[in-house]
Amino acid sequence: MRKFLYIYIIMCVGVLVASCSDMDDNERFTYVKPAPVARCVLLEDYTGQLCVNCPNAVGVIDRIHEVYGDNVIAVGIHGGRLSLSSSLSDLGLATPESEEYYQSAGSPSQPSGRINRKGTPSTIDFWQSLVTSEIEKTAPLSLNLAAGYDAGSRTVNVTVGAKGVDGNVSGKLQLWIVEDNIVAPQSQPDGSMKVDYVHNHVFRAAVNGTWGESFSIAEGEEKNVTASAALKANWKPEDCSIVAFVYNDNGVMQAAKVKIINSNEE
């Protein structure tokens, strides 16, 4: 009787093994969708050093940062007739690239800004509500940045780690260098010129082309993109950061920012 019981058990195990081997791969595993990620919002501040009202935008950006912290990335885009060109002096903050961005936005009155590149540039009165609307949405991908700086060559190397979270993403990946604590002239609301004004989050250069590079990622996929750039002599590496964002015709889908020199390494 015991012998027949052993034979029966062996036959049952064989049937189970055979059934498992015939199972389709799609039936073996249940797909788990990646967890949602918070959206980081890009605020492009169109500004100029000869614009008397542009310092008022700084207060608005500061108040937005008080509410949302690092989830909002502001970048000052200097351009137009109220700007000073960096090609004429180190004290000028407009570059050929920032001029192109300003003109592409329709050469708006200053100060004005665009939130995640949605719609036309708006005045500072609408920035907070537009940021709130965008930041309440989840993002279709996550971006993690790492930067390394070589002081000898003044070169920054950046790695963008991306992961698809919701659907398939297709567009452009843009990498920028921005700088804080730049002391340069700025017209004031009272009409005076403050020569030792401190400018923050100033666009300095595009790392991977004026309009970025083609980028796509599928849901659940992970990929890394690397790039490098040399800092100009008058840029202070300790005050510079890399801003990365992925965008398409519908706007910015996700953004991220990292300091070129980590504060723990200074």
Side-chain angles (χ1 to χ4, degrees):
M1 182 67 181
R2 183 176 297 177
K3 179 179 179 181
F4 288 110
L5 179 61
Y6 287 157
I7 293 174
Y8 175 75
I9 293 173
I10 292 172
M11 289 176 64
C12 289
V13 171
V15 170
L16 288 173
V17 171
S19 299
C20 290
S21 63
D22 292 338
M23 185 179 295
D24 185 87
D25 286 342
N26 294 328
E27 297 176 357
R28 292 175 185 267
F29 305 102
T30 301
Y31 174 72
V32 178
K33 188 179 181 68
V37 296
R39 185 183 294 264
C40 196
V41 173
L42 177 69
L43 192 167
E44 292 172 279
D45 171 22
Y46 300 108
T47 186
Q49 290 172 266
L50 303 179
C51 166
V52 296
N53 291 316
C54 285
N56 294 329
V58 175
V60 175
I61 291 172
D62 287 344
R63 289 193 293 275
I64 290 173
H65 279 152
E66 286 175 2
V67 177
Y68 297 113
D70 294 338
N71 284 331
V72 176
I73 299 171
V75 179
I77 308 293
H78 287 253
R81 61 183 181 82
L82 297 181
S83 67
L84 298 177
S85 175
S86 61
S87 64
L88 300 177
S89 168
D90 286 347
L91 297 177
L93 301 179
T95 70
E97 291 164 315
S98 65
E99 286 282 4
E100 187 169 347
Y101 297 139
Y102 174 72
Q103 292 174 19
S104 177
S107 299
S109 59
Q110 297 158 312
S112 62
R114 201 152 51 149
I115 313 303
N116 271 350
R117 293 194 171 172
K118 300 288 183 70
T120 58
S122 62
T123 62
I124 61 177
D125 298 330
F126 296 95
W127 288 3
Q128 175 116 21
S129 61
L130 291 172
V131 165
T132 299
S133 176
E134 283 297 298
I135 213 163
E136 289 176 346
K137 304 172 184 177
T138 57
L141 75 160
S142 64
L143 295 176
N144 293 293
L145 302 183
Y149 179 68
D150 180 76
S153 62
R154 291 184 60 82
T155 298
V156 57
N157 298 298
V158 59
T159 299
V160 182
K163 181 177 181 179
V165 174
D166 186 12
N168 297 326
V169 171
S170 180
K172 294 286 189 72
L173 169 66
Q174 181 77 74
L175 299 173
W176 283 348
I177 297 174
V178 299
E179 185 177 358
D180 294 322
N181 300 316
I182 302 173
V183 178
Q186 174 66 53
S187 293
Q188 298 298 297
D190 63 4
S192 65
M193 175 66 76
K194 186 174 177 59
V195 297
D196 58 350
Y197 185 85
V198 178
H199 297 261
N200 288 312
H201 52 259
V202 175
F203 169 84
R204 281 303 203 182
V207 174
N208 60 340
T210 303
W211 298 104
E213 60 190 281
S214 296
F215 178 85
S216 63
I217 192 166
E219 183 178 304
E221 180 183 5
E222 297 184 28
K223 63 170 57 175
N224 291 328
V225 177
T226 59
S228 62
L231 304 191
K232 291 187 177 180
N234 62 315
W235 301 354
K236 301 183 295 295
E238 63 273 16
D239 290 328
C240 288
S241 299
I242 297 292
V243 170
F245 58 96
V246 174
Y247 73 100
N248 58 22
D249 291 340
N250 295 318
V252 174
M253 292 172 276
Q254 185 63 300
K257 182 179 180 180
V258 67
K259 287 182 67 66
I260 285 177
I261 298 179
N262 190 286
S263 59
N264 294 329
E265 299 175 355
E266 296 178 349

